[in-house]
Amino acid sequence: MKVLVLAYLGIFLTTCDPNIELDGSSRLVSEGTVTNAAGTPLAHTKISVTASIPGITDTLQSVKTDANGHFKIAFLSPSSATTPLSIRAEAADLQYLPTHLNGLDKTDFTGYYRDMGTIRLFRQDELVTLSINYPEEAYYDRLDRVYLIAEGAIAPMEDYPELPTAFKVAPNQQAVLHYTRLATVPGERDQEEEVVITIGPTDTVFTFTL
């Protein structure tokens, strides 16, 4: 266990020895505020930053929000600019479901800093279900690294799915489903793609096409 003291933030940071290679000379900083759907700040919410590569997920840092729901978190930067980062918010009040902010990497931090704005947490009864129907050929090594960026996204609802088919999300928003389309013939390259999904006021079904 290593303890890092960052004087310029005025906080103590504790991090575990990671498996993912980190840049020991640079740190990323993010801050924001956590509220419920009505805008009431949620104190003592646990904020965690994780980095992931195939087969490995490391927690880089964790903090808790203050009485005003505000947090500021600093963590060692991954050495690779493309290592995926995720920020998880988990309220002390268990009536609110945790959420993940996915799709980040170190290039999303300007001058090593990113303002996350307001992160809203929702109760189960405030969310709707997004169901995704995939064509049969999608299950034959055609898609990989599928994840959803949406407010309130609780995903996937299944345990270790081959492809995620159900998410809990906030209603009335534009969600973005990211995925990698795998090459099918020699000489082709895998393609990073995305599709926008409109979430209505009630449960939504989206049919994915290849």
Side-chain angles (χ1 to χ4, degrees), residues 20-21 50-53 78-86 104-106:
I20 294 174
E21 183 179 355
T50 60
S52 301
I53 57 177
S79 296
S80 171
T82 59
T83 297
L85 298 171
S86 176
L104 299 172
D105 59 43
K106 65 189 297 183

Side-chain angles (χ1 to χ4, degrees), residues 45-97:
T45 297
K46 183 179 180 180
I47 305 294
S48 302
V49 177
T50 60
S52 301
I53 57 177
I56 297 175
T57 297
D58 280 338
T59 298
L60 304 183
Q61 191 55 255
S62 296
V63 298
K64 289 188 177 181
T65 58
D66 62 18
N68 298 313
H70 179 262
F71 70 89
K72 193 168 189 177
I73 187 168
F75 52 95
L76 290 173
S77 170
S79 296
S80 171
T82 59
T83 297
L85 298 171
S86 176
I87 295 179
R88 174 184 171 90
E90 183 177 4
D93 186 341
L94 297 182
Q95 71 172 312
Y96 297 104
L97 300 176

